[in-house]
Amino acid sequence: MSTPAERRVWVTLEGANGVGKTHLAALLRTQIAGSVVLEELPDAAPDRLPGKVIAALAERNDPFLRTGHPLAETLALLALAVRRREEAPEATVAIEDRGSDSVAVYQALTLAESGGSDPYPLAQQLLAMAERWRPRSDLTVLVTADADTRRTRWSARLGRPLTGDERHRAHAVARLYEQIADADPGRYLVLDLSEQTSARALPALTGAVRALTSPAGAPS
């Protein structure tokens, strides 16, 4: 029987493209013994099921994985998020690069585009749906940065300038993340990398994770 100190802690880093969450996840991995980083779904190995699903969704070379079938896309991505939680490798701390919140935010915007509705309630509905099969993370970290920084980093990753649609969508994504976090502040640790570097943000994040892994931080 496991003790509270031995229980797995699940940490998810969320945020818009280019905020620096992947770099922050890698830094956190160096600070927490027994931790593992779970890469975001678009980086999944192409020879495994998640990678094959992502490849199918990305066949139009749309970075937002839009194929013209938003409901099917949403269900597929939610299923992959649930599967990741079920099949994650053993580790004291699982550091997840994007989770249910990302699926909810990005797909709510896609669904809203096709239906002409408000993406915020759609995102909340998707989060509630995900939680029927996948528990909430022990710590959800919303990483933010200013728009110029986000765009510059994302453009560099894509290897090309952003299109007008991508710039507009990136702004909408960042705003929707903020709306969700504002509505449920107790669930999020918000790290604004506009005001500090990843290295300076790391101690606060590391401290929050270590508090969860200690016996005193574990739920009774």
Side-chain angles (χ1 to χ4, degrees):
M1 181 174 180
S2 62
T3 66
E6 295 171 331
R7 78 181 191 96
R8 166 177 286 184
V9 170
W10 195 276
V11 180
T12 302
L13 274 64
E14 302 280 11
N17 298 80
V19 293
K21 59 182 175 46
T22 300
H23 179 57
L24 191 58
L27 291 177
L28 179 61
R29 168 68 183 84
T30 68
Q31 301 299 306
I32 303 295
S35 63
V36 62
V37 173
L38 307 177
E39 63 188 4
E40 61 178 303
L41 289 172
D43 295 330
D47 60 335
R48 301 189 66 236
L49 177 62
K52 292 178 180 179
V53 173
I54 294 298
L57 295 178
E59 63 181 5
R60 293 187 177 184
N61 295 318
D62 182 350
F64 299 107
L65 305 179
R66 292 172 294 187
T67 66
H69 304 282
L71 287 175
E73 298 156 14
T74 300
L75 292 174
L77 290 168
L78 283 173
L80 290 180
V82 172
R83 184 179 187 272
R84 162 186 265 181
R85 184 71 186 248
E86 293 174 343
E87 298 188 352
E90 290 298 324
T92 303
V93 177
I95 305 167
E96 181 182 36
D97 191 346
R98 294 197 184 281
S100 301
D101 285 73
S102 282
V103 176
V105 166
Y106 282 85
Q107 292 309 116
L109 286 165
T110 298
L111 291 166
E113 284 177 345
S114 62
S117 52
D118 182 355
Y120 176 73
L122 287 173
Q124 295 288 17
Q125 291 168 22
L126 291 174
L127 281 171
M129 182 185 299
E131 287 173 12
R132 294 182 61 184
W133 293 281
R134 174 185 151 129
R136 282 189 175 187
S137 299
D138 298 288
L139 176 65
T140 302
V141 184
L142 177 58
V143 186
T144 65
D146 63 272
D148 286 342
T149 297
R150 296 196 310 266
R151 288 194 292 261
T152 299
R153 288 174 177 167
W154 189 28
S155 177
R157 182 173 181 178
L158 292 174
R160 59 170 176 78
L162 302 183
T163 66
D165 174 67
E166 288 164 352
R167 291 167 68 93
H168 175 76
R169 172 61 73 93
H171 175 76
V173 164
R175 175 59 186 143
L176 188 51
Y177 272 122
E178 291 170 2
Q179 284 182 279
I180 293 172
D182 287 345
D184 192 4
R187 188 162 81 87
Y188 296 87
L189 170 63
V190 180
L191 296 177
D192 185 354
L193 299 189
S194 301
E195 301 177 351
Q196 58 186 332
T197 64
S198 297
R200 289 192 173 186
L202 186 60
L205 176 56
T206 302
V209 174
R210 285 180 174 156
L212 289 170
T213 59
S214 69
S220 58

